[in-house]
Amino acid sequence: TQRVWNVVKNETIPEEHMARVVEHLGPDGARSFFESGFIGIRPRDHLVDVKCLHAHLADYLLRGDDALIGKEVYSRLEALGVDPCGSSPRRG
């Protein structure tokens, strides 16, 4: 997931916008931004936990079965009787 979103981000941002990122974040901040993938995690962060389950769910809803964590979140919500695609507003 991280690598896919890193590629999407870096291939869709026009060069003039990339220059503005460097201007606003500085060289180190821009490097961190361009190296990060989905939800701002960089492959070198070597996380052993999962964060931002809502973002993984959105990734699954967008990309399908390739988003394994989001697929698991979806399945667990369904098992709990929660509609993963949203719910009705509260009443009363």
Side-chain angles (χ1 to χ4, degrees):
T1 297
Q2 302 300 339
R3 287 185 183 102
V4 169
W5 284 107
N6 182 284
V7 169
V8 167
K9 176 177 52 183
N10 288 309
E11 289 185 0
T12 57
I13 297 175
E15 284 191 38
E16 63 271 13
H17 291 191
M18 288 185 173
R20 290 177 67 191
V21 170
V22 175
E23 179 182 319
H24 289 286
L25 299 178
D28 292 337
R31 185 172 28 270
S32 181
F33 173 78
F34 291 124
E35 289 176 359
S36 69
F38 183 62
I39 61 176
I41 297 174
R42 298 166 300 191
R44 70 173 183 249
D45 288 339
H46 303 293
L47 298 176
V48 294
D49 60 344
V50 177
K51 68 178 196 169
C52 301
L53 297 178
H54 63 287
H56 287 283
L57 176 60
D59 184 40
Y60 171 69
L61 293 173
L62 181 66
R63 295 191 311 120
D65 289 342
D66 288 340
L68 298 178
I69 294 172
K71 183 177 181 179
E72 181 65 21
V73 171
Y74 189 96
S75 296
R76 289 186 184 204
L77 288 171
E78 279 194 321
L80 291 170
V82 175
D83 179 359
C85 295
S87 60
S88 300
R90 291 187 193 171
R91 294 188 183 149

